[in-house]
Amino acid sequence: MTEKIKKILIANRGEIAVRIIRACRDLGIESAAVYSECDKTAYHVRMADEAYYIGPSPSTESYLVHERIIETARKCKADAVHPGYGFLAENPSFAEKCLEAGIIFIGPKPETIRLLGDKLLARDTALKAGLPVVPGRDIGGLDIASALAAATDIGFPVLVKAAGGGGGKGMRVVTSEDLFAESLKSAANEAASAFGDSRVFLEKYLPRPRHIEIQILADTHGNCIYLGERECSIQRRHQKVIEESPSPVVTEALREQMGRAAVSIARSAGYVGAGTVEFLVDHDLSFYFLEVNTRLQVEHPVTEMVTGLDLVKEQVFIAEGAPLKYIQEDIKLLGHAIECRIYAEKPEEGFVPSTGTLTHYRIPAGPGVRVDSGVLLNSQIPIFYDPMIAKLIVWGKDRRETIDRTRRALQEYRVGGVDSTIGFHLTIMDNEKFIRGDLSTRFLEEEYPDNDYHRLDGEVLEKAAIAVALDSFINERKIILSQTSSHNRPACGWVTYHRKNSLRQFRGSR
Ligand code: ADP
């Protein structure tokens, strides 16, 4: 039974809220936004058909308050809630409460979110589904000596990981025995305060893996397909900053192997909706299951660009109970896509957030360019949330053309009033190793150990010098003009002659 959704409440903000509103509009579905105090005039609020205030700026008092969002959905008669990513997107009890309130949660079933959201249970599920996993060990209930013995058995370096983790939190690389006890403690403490769950486990730390993930779609009728891969190896502090599809190293055969593995774990978990199965890929191209993200990913647009599908629309169709319109053989990848996450951050200072007002904002356009922006000119970048400004997504017929177009688009992009990562991305687009596709999750720390992203070449230096000269020339002129007011400014000969002449005419006419 399919039931058409008429109104969707979007339980999110920024670019992803705008992205979902656009899909709603394409589908003729009404959209309702929610907003906190500091988001009163935000882009997603202006874009939506309706908008509702849900509380003060801190997300714990607004975007994360289950009851307030469900109450708003009820009040505005939304038949579905789309959680986007982050905030409540992977919260099983929120999904449960939506269903109890008779509202469709656009995502998997709560029990699937619960199962796959726990990294230990997800590892077990992957093992049962026959997926290769990174060698590891659950150390729950073990004393320090036994945990250390387990780590020695795996072999250093090991990675201590939070079972309930996400966003790179509660993770510690341990290179030797003597650092083990301390790292274990600090990872568990961080996990307890971030997720309210101090359970940690051990994994073999792969020295230079690639992060490659598979997008899947599964409907309520038992159909499940994979939509190719995304390479997300350009990371800082285990968080993605540039993503692309397809991966420069994935062959047709490897894609099929990884795709089948992804479908297999999705089936074991009773998955419904759009999801992502993440893998680490070693230098010999052997792959290991990492985790499943039970939501739309930030980087979903690169998959949309190469498959031609609209993943948000697909999520809505699945939530309505419709069967997938495609079988595996229908999915063909065309061309190449790259996404650059444009943040209001200072890359040279370790990517610290740069909050404030966007006093200048001009987005790029032209062949192959898509900008999923969460802001407008004069928008605020508040301190309360992730400082993402937009995602620049670029398509080209091959990787080379895509890199060239990305560089061109980045050069067109103008952000003023706050710092941005545009210059950082430009540097990466010129990096020889990146251009060769020689990537690993350690790429940034190996290539730019001091956050030195300003490797200016001669041409850029020349342009910069011209810009500085022009700027100081204009400023000097401004000073001269303001100093020479209209009373004492020496007029040129033509002006003096004209003035005298017109005075003579005036006198003559009296
Ligand atoms: P989170 O859910 O916090 O994002 P993930 O398990 O998805 O954590 O891992 C995030 C990133 O951490 C990976 O993309 C990779 O860069 C790194 N990572 C995770 N596990 C390993 C491992 N066993 N060896 C090396 N790097 C790892």
Side-chain angles (χ1 to χ4, degrees), residues 119 123 134-135 157-159 161-162 164-171 173 195 201-213 232-233 235 237-240 278-280 288-293 295 440-442:
K119 286 185 199 267
R123 262 178 77 91
V134 185
V158 294
L159 191 62
K161 261 189 183 181
K169 290 209 181 83
M171 218 190 277
V173 183
F195 318 112
F201 65 102
L202 303 180
E203 242 178 38
K204 173 86 192 142
Y205 181 69
L206 304 183
R208 297 184 76 250
R210 289 170 174 259
H211 174 121
I212 300 179
E213 57 188 34
C232 313
S233 299
Q235 303 183 348
R237 281 184 245 115
H238 305 304
Q239 293 300 293
K240 305 155 186 170
E278 298 189 332
F279 296 95
L280 290 179
Y288 304 94
F289 169 79
L290 193 59
E291 66 164 347
V292 182
N293 285 323
R295 57 173 161 88
S440 89
T441 55
R442 307 204 36 211

Side-chain angles (χ1 to χ4, degrees), residues 349-377:
E349 291 177 31
F351 293 91
V352 290
S354 168
T355 53
T357 307
L358 277 178
T359 52
H360 194 59
Y361 192 59
R362 196 180 79 198
I363 59 173
V369 175
R370 161 177 169 181
V371 182
D372 280 17
S373 192
V375 297
L376 294 167
L377 178 67

